[in-house]
Amino acid sequence: GQQLNQSPQSMFIQEGEDVSMNCTSSSIFNTWLWYKQDPGEGPVLLIALYKAGELTSNGRLTAQFGITRKDSFLNISASIPSDVGIYFCAGLITNAGKSTFGDGTTLTVKP
Amino acid sequence: SQTIHQWPATLVQPVGSPLSLECTVEGTSNPNLYWYRQAAGRGLQLLFYSVGIGQISSEVPQNLSASRPQDRQFILSSKKLLLSDSGFYLCAWSNLANYGYTFGSGTRLTVV
């Protein structure tokens, strides 16, 4: 089946630093999604990308849908302590009924 | 607005006991519904998904089952729990107007 390779697996950064994480796949997706999971909670959708090459921002977050449709990245600028959590990428093929999730990037921000 | 309810929040069950976790969605019709399990600090494992009443797709063979008795109700069950069934169970929904998933707040299950 389809698999997403999400990297890095974990990141330890200082408050104020920028963060970059990405997802790659051997398969093409029509939609890329990025989620954040706070400890003990369900993941929450951050950004959805629907078109190859699309670059979308949500506050300090920026995500891009790769031109090949096989990858996506998420950047967080000027990190703050509340950015701590697990970030998941997900790829979706229209009408497939389900998304394919990456294994997550665990972000730790030191004050 | 759409909301998703998942309960209970935490559950401690003995090995061999039955399980029933319920998830309901409000404010939308004919949603796709999903059950995921997450081990501590790990990724999301898709267990079951449903695109309509009575339609269940199983992703991972195990001693769990799912049912969708109503359009916006999704139930995860087991007849006899195993220690390995412990984990964080998440329900989610999506539809064609919103490909992104909306997750419930999760149930932390500990089998002892």
Side-chain angles (χ1 to χ4, degrees):
Chain A
Q2 298 158 328
Q3 286 190 325
L4 293 185
N5 297 310
Q6 186 171 352
S7 64
Q9 187 175 14
S10 60
M11 302 182 74
F12 295 83
I13 63 169
Q14 205 73 35
E15 182 177 358
E17 291 182 355
D18 296 343
V19 172
S20 184
M21 58 191 78
N22 67 81
C23 264
T24 60
S25 172
S26 57
S27 304
I28 288 175
F29 290 103
N30 303 123
T31 301
W32 281 94
L33 307 132
W34 285 92
Y35 297 82
K36 182 198 176 193
Q37 183 180 28
D38 289 327
E41 301 288 331
V44 173
L45 182 65
L46 297 173
I47 292 179
L49 303 157
Y50 300 108
K51 191 174 168 184
E54 179 181 355
L55 185 72
T56 297
S57 293
N58 178 5
R60 294 178 294 107
L61 278 61
T62 302
Q64 184 157 30
F65 190 142
I67 290 290
T68 64
R69 295 164 65 192
K70 294 182 179 181
D71 62 341
S72 177
F73 72 75
L74 175 71
N75 287 343
I76 305 173
S77 63
S79 59
I80 60 178
S82 61
D83 290 333
V84 164
I86 304 176
Y87 291 80
F88 291 100
C89 64
L92 175 69
I93 294 179
T94 307
N95 297 325
K98 59 186 173 78
S99 294
T100 300
F101 279 82
D103 286 337
T105 294
T106 300
L107 178 64
T108 302
V109 180
K110 303 176 206 172
Chain B
S1 64
Q2 302 98 347
T3 56
I4 179 168
H5 302 281
Q6 186 180 346
W7 67 92
T10 59
L11 193 58
V12 180
Q13 292 283 103
V15 169
S17 64
L19 173 74
S20 180
L21 300 180
E22 187 165 342
C23 173
T24 59
V25 180
E26 296 176 358
T28 188
S29 59
N30 196 31
N32 290 347
L33 296 170
Y34 309 88
W35 278 111
Y36 283 85
R37 180 170 60 200
Q38 185 178 32
R42 303 292 298 276
L44 302 168
Q45 179 187 33
L46 179 62
L47 302 175
F48 302 94
Y49 72 98
S50 171
V51 298
I53 295 175
Q55 300 178 58
I56 308 294
S57 296
S58 174
E59 290 291 300
V60 182
Q62 54 210 319
N63 72 322
L64 299 171
S65 62
S67 62
R68 184 171 178 171
Q70 300 180 46
D71 181 43
R72 290 168 288 176
Q73 183 184 29
F74 206 23
I75 298 172
L76 182 69
S77 304
S78 174
K79 292 182 180 177
K80 289 186 178 181
L81 284 168
L82 306 172
L83 287 173
S84 58
D85 291 324
S86 294
F88 191 47
Y89 288 81
L90 289 157
C91 180
W93 75 272
S94 71
N95 60 30
L96 293 180
N98 171 24
Y99 291 126
Y101 290 4
T102 300
F103 285 87
S105 53
T107 295
R108 185 159 306 282
L109 171 67
T110 304
V111 182
V112 296

